Amino acid sequence: ISAVEADTNNLSSLEKAFDGVDGVYCNTDYWNAGSRVEEVIQSIKVATACLNCAVDHLVYSSLENVIEITKCTLALPYFDSKAEASKYIQAMLPKSSILVTAPYFENFLGYALPEKRQTSDDSFEYVFKDPMADKPYTMIALDDIGQFATYCFANPQKTQGETLHVRFGHSRQSACG
């Protein structure tokens, strides 16, 4: 197993990287893509390159479809773009595996840092930008996603053509299925 880097904006770069490979793991980056539309386009280019290079198994890292879940009352473009791309990928590559995860703990190392705010008593508090109220915020470490992706590649008879949701229960153990 080896990792290969390619430019998701460049189909020929993707085809060069995918030539002769059996499996591709794809995790696009909304923030680098710059928009929901651009992330969907990048994902479609990955799927197109997989088709053109006869890749046996694409595992695509996705997120929940917030627009669908909330019946259009809330949109999270960085979630919804991956969910939308997943639908295109499944139509293009019916044997692909869609791995629906959660936001990454590693986001707290960059853009998801809490904001420092002054309170009414002149002290300070740190507040996260995502409005979760009193609800838990499910997250996952990138290393853990790697384990689920490895499972997908090691068990294609169970995972190809499937949308697999990484879930976290009260016991704090994760499960895929």
Side-chain angles (χ1 to χ4, degrees):
I1 296 177
S2 62
V4 181
E5 187 175 331
D7 180 355
T8 54
N9 291 309
N10 183 313
L11 184 60
S12 63
S13 167
L14 291 163
E15 290 172 340
K16 182 179 175 187
F18 298 169
D19 185 41
V21 303
D22 297 320
V24 170
Y25 172 79
C26 177
N27 182 15
T28 54
D29 181 358
Y30 171 87
W31 306 108
N32 282 330
S35 73
R36 181 191 61 75
V37 171
E38 287 303 314
E39 185 173 26
V40 171
I41 290 169
Q42 288 178 348
S43 302
I44 291 170
K45 285 182 182 177
V46 169
T48 300
C50 286
L51 272 173
N52 293 347
C53 294
V55 172
D56 292 330
H57 195 179
L58 169 62
V59 177
Y60 181 76
S61 182
S62 188
L63 292 166
E64 296 288 353
N65 190 330
V66 175
I67 289 175
E68 207 171 83
I69 291 169
T70 65
K71 297 179 179 30
C72 298
T73 61
L74 180 65
L76 285 177
Y78 51 98
F79 275 59
D80 297 329
S81 56
K82 288 184 184 333
E84 181 181 349
S86 296
K87 291 178 182 181
Y88 288 109
I89 289 168
Q90 287 176 316
M92 294 172 70
L93 299 164
K95 289 177 29 178
S96 61
S97 299
I98 307 299
L99 188 57
V100 181
T101 67
Y104 316 133
F105 288 119
E106 289 81 359
N107 290 344
F108 290 124
L109 300 173
Y111 84 92
L113 295 171
E115 294 177 350
K116 185 177 182 180
R117 295 185 189 164
Q118 191 167 4
T119 64
S120 59
D121 67 356
D122 287 331
S123 63
F124 290 93
E125 65 184 1
Y126 289 89
V127 179
F128 290 102
K129 298 174 191 176
D130 290 336
M132 297 302 296
D134 62 347
K135 303 294 184 253
Y137 192 39
T138 301
M139 300 187 82
I140 189 167
L142 290 172
D143 286 348
D144 292 333
I145 293 174
Q147 290 182 28
F148 286 106
T150 299
Y151 176 84
C152 289
F153 287 121
N155 297 281
Q157 71 284 1
K158 293 180 181 179
T159 63
Q160 282 185 313
E162 299 293 330
T163 298
L164 306 151
H165 293 262
V166 176
R167 300 276 190 224
F168 298 89
H170 293 19
S171 66
R172 302 217 186 265
Q173 293 178 346
S174 56
C176 193

